[in-house]
Amino acid sequence: MPSSGTNLAAVLPIPSRAWISHWRPLVARIGELEPQCQSLTDSDLRKRSLALRYRARSGEPLGRLLPETYALVREAGRRRLNMRHFDVQVLGGIALFHHAIVEMQTGEGKTLTATLPMCLYALAGQGCHLATVNDYLAKRDAEWMGPIYEALGLTVGVIQTDMSQEARRKAYAADVTYGTAKEFGFDFLRDRLLLRKIREGQSDLIGGMLADRSEEHGELPVQREPFFALVDEADSILIDEARTPLIISALPTEEEKIAVECYKWAASTARQFLEDEDYEYDHEKKSVELTRAGRRKARQLPKPDALATVGMFHVYEYLERAIKVARDFIRDREYVVRDGEIVIVDEFTGRMAEGRKWRDGIHQAVEAKEGVEVTVATGQAARVTVQDFFLRYRHLAGMTGTGRDSSRELRRIYKCPVIIIPTNRPSIRKRLPDLIFGTEEEKWNAVVDETCEMHALGRPVLIGTRSIEKSEFLSGLLKRRGIEHEVLNAHYVEQEAAIVAEAGKMRRVTVSTNMAGRGTDIRLGPGVAELGGLHVICTEMHDAARIDWQLRGRCGRQGDPGSFRQFLSLEDELLEKGLGPRRAARYAGLGRRAKRLFPELASLFRKAQRRIERRHFRDRQALMHFERERKKMQRQMGQDPYLDTPN
């Protein structure tokens, strides 16, 4: 083990320390096999892998094959990619094999680590899935790590959004398949619908003949039974997206077409309703309820003929939804408008969540608000939550840079302990004192001042913002100060790789949403380490602490120098969301009156953040309970819980 592992007691929690001590002899055993593997020819390396595959398929436990398999994978990485797995990466691979969520810091090589358990589970011949957060990362990682799998005689497939069914079937037939959680989930639902169609067709003679013909023409399920899934950015997919339902819609009815007119009318009239007069707004639940005066106004407003058959109770619901959307769903923060469509911006990754829609009519209300075509909220033909989908796998593991804050939830829901892996080299990242300003204006001016100061020193700067809107606002401030910079948000997703590749070079300034905190490494350019490395500026705290740490983790990778600083203001949105509007207004008033810094209030922001985290945790717990009870009831009724789900 590297020197960083010698002081584990001072760095790691007790459970991680115990597991690492238990697995240390196994890492040593893999190291002993390394000279033997290095003496093999490329052909012999492949033959040894095929021999292990035969033993696995003959019933030998995979755990017994782990040392030799990992030694072969390490050698394949050294030969094909000139990337030898560090001991800490081997340690991470062992933890992943044992169904853990592995926390490895940014730049510690999670992509390479993943090849170890993927190759081992692939020996069983039942298919292994690696789920990433977007198509770009799935394709990049599959192509990047492909030579390792090929050297060991394993096949690699990758799932992309626009692929045909035949191409998907071929990708899933590979030993290892890379793709997004969304695509894996939708393919599962499509297969489920197809199998029902085939079963129903086989219930009579003619239908049976048609089913045979459909199989001849390629209408077969694309996936195999779920065996092993490795989830990259596990906290994002298994927690942040856990409540997201993947839905395949049914065909629209006349009633649903009338609903479109209701959404449009509600959107056009929502601005006429005033808070505390026509409606009451619950700041904690983010809900709107019309008052008696508001309902009277709704009845008196002129309405199109299409609403003649709609009851007033439903009219009130459409209005309340439209008012909520007008208040809480801001363009270039929660969503963007692209090619006449509403595309959700994932608040945790900053990337566009292609194919996702808000539930309960919210998406349609946003479409009506923006004047784009309203997609009818149709019935559901099939539905599964991300959480429920991954619980179907026989073996589940995950990787993340920020898992410890969610360890309780991951163990409770997915039965996966969080194991924290030490860094290969000691981290020398510096945390500069937090700065808390009275107003947002003072905060943004200070952010620009610090950027100019670091830029003058020649250091690269990465500035993280919570939304597209704020990244564009900060970009305007930097332009006025004459600072050349790049902007990375959901509007520039195609340029992401190029922008990140340059972000660590001398005098580079990058303004980014959370996109720069996921799946990409910022490597330092020549001479930057001597100047102090990358400096990260965090302009606001997020709803979850782990999102903040993802951004901070961009600096100081693999023992590089680096620093970060948190900028806050008493007008930040976090205080209102975590403490409520009244307390937040009091602090905002204090900030406007007293023109000074407020270091004594640092704990206040973390308190607000913890409250929001607990609220989200309760929501996810409630969802899990509801889903479990619903499936149990539907199975007792003889229904398929994925295809017969009520709207």
Side-chain angles (χ1 to χ4, degrees):
M1 296 290 289
S3 59
S4 61
T6 57
N7 61 343
L8 294 178
V11 178
L12 302 178
I14 291 173
S16 295
R17 214 183 311 154
W19 280 113
I20 287 170
S21 298
H22 177 67
W23 290 326
R24 193 189 293 268
L26 196 51
V27 177
R29 170 68 182 139
I30 294 165
E32 290 167 5
L33 292 171
E34 191 169 7
Q36 185 186 122
C37 292
Q38 288 177 351
S39 67
L40 297 173
T41 64
D42 287 353
S43 176
D44 288 338
L45 194 73
R46 188 184 181 96
K47 285 178 183 175
R48 287 283 286 272
S49 174
L50 293 173
L52 289 171
R53 180 188 296 197
Y54 175 79
R55 288 165 61 186
R57 296 183 188 185
S58 299
E60 191 167 343
L62 292 178
R64 200 179 295 171
L65 306 179
L66 187 149
E68 192 173 350
T69 302
Y70 279 22
L72 290 175
V73 176
R74 173 186 261 180
E75 178 59 19
R78 188 185 68 82
R79 289 188 192 186
R80 293 299 184 92
L81 300 179
N82 196 27
M83 297 171 71
R84 176 187 174 275
H85 296 72
F86 298 128
D87 281 358
V88 288
Q89 290 173 319
V90 173
L91 192 59
I94 295 169
L96 291 170
F97 172 73
H98 288 95
H99 307 157
I101 303 293
V102 167
E103 180 183 298
M104 297 175 70
Q105 284 197 26
T106 299
E108 291 295 306
K110 292 189 285 292
T111 305
L112 185 63
T113 300
T115 58
L116 295 162
M118 294 301 284
C119 286
L120 181 54
Y121 275 109
L123 297 177
Q126 297 180 57
C128 303
H129 296 168
L130 195 151
T132 63
V133 292
N134 62 33
D135 279 354
Y136 162 73
L137 290 176
K139 190 170 188 290
R140 185 204 71 176
D141 292 354
E143 290 175 352
W144 188 12
M145 297 294 116
I148 293 180
Y149 299 116
E150 289 161 12
L152 300 176
L154 298 171
T155 54
V156 187
V158 58
I159 301 294
Q160 298 283 277
T161 301
D162 55 357
M163 285 174 67
S164 66
Q165 287 297 94
E166 188 55 42
R168 287 172 185 270
R169 191 176 297 111
K170 186 178 179 182
Y172 282 118
D175 296 307
V176 172
T177 306
Y178 284 73
T180 63
K182 173 176 70 81
E183 288 302 315
F184 288 151
F186 278 129
D187 283 334
F188 160 70
L189 293 177
R190 282 190 283 264
D191 280 353
R192 200 94 176 178
L193 286 167
L194 178 61
L195 287 169
R196 169 174 279 189
K197 177 183 166 186
I198 292 172
R199 280 197 305 272
E200 290 175 350
Q202 288 172 342
S203 62
D204 61 89
L205 181 62
I206 296 174
M209 292 166 64
L210 290 172
D212 291 339
R213 283 180 61 192
S214 72
E215 290 185 16
E216 286 173 16
H217 286 78
E219 278 197 73
L220 288 169
V222 297
Q223 289 185 348
R224 293 182 271 182
E225 285 296 308
F227 177 60
F228 172 64
L230 176 53
V231 183
D232 193 11
E233 305 300 351
D235 57 329
S236 174
I237 293 174
L238 298 181
I239 293 181
D240 299 335
E241 296 182 18
R243 294 178 292 170
T244 304
L246 304 173
I247 297 170
I248 294 178
S249 299
L251 294 173
T253 64
E254 268 314 306
E255 289 180 5
E256 286 153 354
K257 290 173 183 175
I258 292 172
V260 171
E261 297 303 319
C262 294
Y263 283 116
K264 290 179 179 177
W265 174 81
S268 67
T269 56
R271 295 290 182 187
Q272 299 180 36
F273 289 76
L274 305 175
E275 186 176 359
D276 297 331
E277 183 178 320
D278 298 318
Y279 69 89
E280 292 177 353
Y281 182 74
D282 187 318
H283 288 265
E284 185 170 335
K285 296 179 180 177
K286 301 270 185 193
S287 62
V288 171
E289 185 174 354
L290 291 176
T291 61
R292 184 175 296 177
R295 293 187 176 201
R296 185 166 56 250
K297 182 182 284 189
R299 289 194 296 271
Q300 293 170 351
L301 283 170
K303 303 174 185 64
D305 294 340
L307 270 67
T309 59
V310 180
M312 284 310 300
F313 175 77
H314 296 294
V315 170
Y316 300 151
E317 284 187 333
Y318 281 108
L319 276 169
E320 288 169 349
R321 194 184 290 116
I323 294 166
K324 173 183 170 62
V325 161
R327 288 184 58 112
D328 296 340
F329 289 76
I330 311 300
R331 184 170 177 165
D332 287 340
R333 190 174 74 183
E334 280 77 23
Y335 65 91
V336 296
V337 180
R338 191 184 67 178
D339 300 330
E341 291 184 5
I342 300 297
V343 183
I344 297 173
V345 175
D346 190 306
E347 67 173 301
F348 299 103
T349 66
R351 295 189 171 102
M352 284 194 257
E354 304 279 358
R356 260 172 58 184
K357 289 191 175 185
W358 288 297
R359 298 177 63 190
D360 303 323
I362 293 294
H363 202 89
Q364 288 71 31
V366 173
E367 289 171 328
K369 170 193 168 190
E370 292 295 341
V372 302
E373 181 185 352
V374 178
T375 55
V376 184
T378 61
Q380 299 170 10
R383 175 184 183 274
V384 66
T385 62
V386 171
Q387 183 183 89
D388 197 26
F389 172 72
F390 281 107
L391 285 171
R392 297 179 64 259
Y393 282 86
R394 198 187 315 171
H395 305 284
L396 180 65
M399 307 181 295
T400 178
T402 49
R404 69 185 76 194
D405 289 338
S406 310
S407 57
R408 177 173 163 235
E409 186 171 354
L410 289 165
R411 177 184 281 276
R412 189 168 177 178
I413 294 174
Y414 299 99
K415 307 295 186 289
C416 293
V418 172
I419 305 295
I420 299 165
I421 304 298
T423 54
N424 185 52
R425 296 175 184 165
S427 175
I428 55 174
R429 182 187 302 123
K430 291 181 182 176
R431 177 170 190 163
L432 303 180
D434 294 354
L435 296 178
I436 303 171
F437 297 86
T439 65
E440 277 210 332
E441 183 182 1
E442 292 174 291
K443 179 182 75 173
W444 290 116
N445 288 334
V447 166
V448 174
D449 288 342
E450 181 148 303
T451 303
C452 293
E453 182 184 327
M454 294 294 172
H455 184 66
L457 294 173
R459 290 181 65 182
V461 180
L462 173 67
I463 311 171
T465 63
R466 275 194 65 154
S467 67
I468 298 172
E469 179 187 33
K470 287 179 179 175
S471 68
E472 303 284 5
F473 170 74
L474 180 57
S475 174
L477 294 180
L478 291 171
K479 282 178 185 173
R480 285 199 285 275
R481 294 285 287 271
I483 300 292
E484 286 189 23
H485 61 280
E486 295 283 353
V487 177
L488 177 57
N489 59 39
H491 287 311
Y492 305 100
V493 66
E494 293 82 6
Q495 295 99 330
E496 177 181 356
I499 292 172
V500 170
E502 300 289 316
K505 294 186 177 178
M506 199 173 290
R507 296 186 183 278
R508 291 280 177 170
V509 175
T510 309
V511 178
S512 176
T513 55
N514 298 336
M515 290 174 71
R518 287 287 185 187
T520 48
D521 273 351
I522 297 177
R523 300 179 185 276
L524 300 185
V528 171
E530 291 75 14
L531 296 172
L534 177 69
H535 181 61
V536 173
I537 294 177
C538 314
T539 61
E540 207 167 338
M541 284 174 68
H542 292 78
D543 289 356
R546 65 179 181 278
I547 311 299
D548 296 325
W549 279 109
Q550 283 156 13
L551 180 64
R552 297 164 186 167
R554 295 294 98 192
C555 65
R557 60 176 294 282
Q558 279 287 352
D560 287 341
S563 58
F564 68 90
R565 191 196 298 276
Q566 181 77 61
F567 286 77
L568 300 164
S569 88
L570 296 185
E571 293 180 336
D572 283 356
E573 183 184 355
L574 182 85
L575 294 183
E576 183 176 336
K577 291 174 77 173
L579 304 178
R582 288 184 181 177
R583 286 187 67 188
R586 280 207 307 273
Y587 285 113
L590 171 65
R592 286 189 290 270
R593 290 191 303 273
K595 300 292 183 181
R596 64 179 180 86
L597 292 174
F598 296 86
E600 71 277 9
L601 295 180
S603 60
L604 184 73
F605 287 84
R606 183 63 186 125
K607 180 182 178 182
Q609 192 177 57
R610 278 196 297 266
R611 283 192 176 183
I612 298 170
E613 287 174 329
R614 283 197 297 269
R615 191 186 309 150
H616 289 172
F617 176 64
R618 286 195 299 269
D619 290 345
R620 290 190 292 268
Q621 286 287 96
L623 171 77
M624 186 177 73
H625 175 74
F626 170 77
E627 288 289 313
R628 188 187 296 128
E629 292 300 309
R630 178 187 61 77
K631 286 194 296 180
K632 180 180 174 183
M633 187 180 302
Q634 287 190 279
R635 286 193 175 108
Q636 289 173 347
M637 295 165 64
Q639 293 181 336
D640 186 320
Y642 302 107
L643 305 187
D644 300 316
T645 306
N647 290 334

